[in-house]
Amino acid sequence: MLTNRLVLRTVSVALLTASAAAAAHVDEVGTFDVTLDPDVFEGPFSGQIFVAFAKGEEPRSAMHGWFGAPPVLRFEVVDAKGALELSAATAAASYPIDWTEVAAGEEWEVQVVARRSRTGRSAGLSPGDVYSDVASIVYDADAKGSVELRLDRVVEPEVFEGSERVELFEFVSPSLSEFHGFEYTMRAGVRLPASAKDGERHPVLYSVTGFGGTYDSIFDWENRSEGSALDECIVVVPDASNLYGHSVFCDSDSIGPWGKALVHELIPALEAKYGGAGPKHRYVTGGSSGGWSALWLQVAYPAEFAGCWSHVPDPIDFHDFQQINLYEPLPDGTPRNMYVDESGERRPLARRNGQVMLYYEDFARREHVLNPGGQIRSFDATFSPLGEDGTPRRVFDIKTGVIDHEAAQAWRRYDISHTLLTRWDELEPQLDGKIRVFAGEVDSFYLEGAVERFVDLADEAGLLEHMQVEVVPGLPHTLHRAGYEEMIRTIGERWRGDD
């Protein structure tokens, strides 16, 4: 699920300062005169436009922050061309919701962004999106002054700078292309074994990132792998990101068959090219949303992977979705609420050293302004069917926080705890000894409760004799080092045992 850092492209403060200094400085700005450059927009534009604020950081990056995020406005435009006058009064959504909280007279850097990418989750940072220069202003929503912003810069695709042992693998998925109606390219970062030779076969470790990670997280494995048994492996970081956030590599009614695309399409093509040794020596790991993905892939495709190591996974039991029971209303029949608990107290979403850092309502409401592409909305996108409006059905009302328990029933097919507890007799022959899950006792995002519930039920059912599932004392939302080291030993011992 949520990760402690969001992987975004940013600019240095020095470059930002230079850009801001070059832009027009207008005192007491209340409106934004936005021009859609005709060299960039070949015809009328329909979609989302954002006006992003920031201090000391490029606004198009700052608007995606989680902690202490600055103000942002979203506009929905239809057949826009030429010039637009935008203001808080005409915005479709804003954060903060009460725009009067944006104090008059404050100095800001501002930037306008148009979302055009059909696959990128971060508006203004995804290839094909358009953005303006940064302007420095003094803002007052009631002021008559305006600042001119020109949408004339296009986000270019990142250039992957590999090395002798690190490559980018790109693959057009037939199933995702058919689902979306356009050619859909999947990507994965690949780190080759230290002594790779033509014709040789190697064990393969698939590492799924948490929310915000992409294929370029493969570079994180360079120091991790050096001098270990992983030097004998092909390490692959498949990119799970999409328009709605993180696919978690499940087959979804709303965002497409990501599990099928990975396991039955990308993996065979990738391993044919690089010399994978097949399911007997194919493993999967990950943390946070990647931790959920690793466990899901092992359970959903039990014969395709020889073991999983899941660290601090997203909720594996939706009876405890970050302390919230999505399935059942309160005893009196009243729906539960994502924003407040049974006592009416605000629900926390993130903590650090025992202190609440984020509340559910604040986070969800801000994410709604940037929708799609946010962490909470990503759950709807992967687990819910499409609603009547053609977008993934929400499991709770964004305005009130009231949970739609009927909608949540559709999530049960993705409830890993439910699957293991109800289908273990069927799954045991292919899953015995393959599952390892490590939750943090003080998880930063309250994810431990789902694992604790599963441990209690699995213990009663006798499942824990066949898998390792533990809540690690004192562990926050991070990698469990002992579990990671055990993974390396296991992969190496199994491979050398087959020599």
Side-chain angles (χ1 to χ4, degrees), residues 389-419:
D389 63 355
T391 66
R393 183 175 175 180
R394 283 194 178 274
V395 80
F396 68 96
D397 187 288
I398 191 65
K399 294 181 180 179
T400 65
V402 172
I403 294 171
D404 183 342
H405 294 292
E406 179 185 347
Q409 296 306 314
W411 289 27
R412 198 176 292 273
R413 64 191 263 210
Y414 304 105
D415 188 317
I416 299 176
S417 172
H418 176 76
T419 298

Side-chain angles (χ1 to χ4, degrees), residues 3-22:
T3 52
N4 286 323
R5 73 182 168 88
L6 191 60
V7 181
L8 294 175
R9 285 162 285 189
T10 58
V11 294
S12 69
V13 173
L15 287 175
L16 175 60
T17 302
S19 176

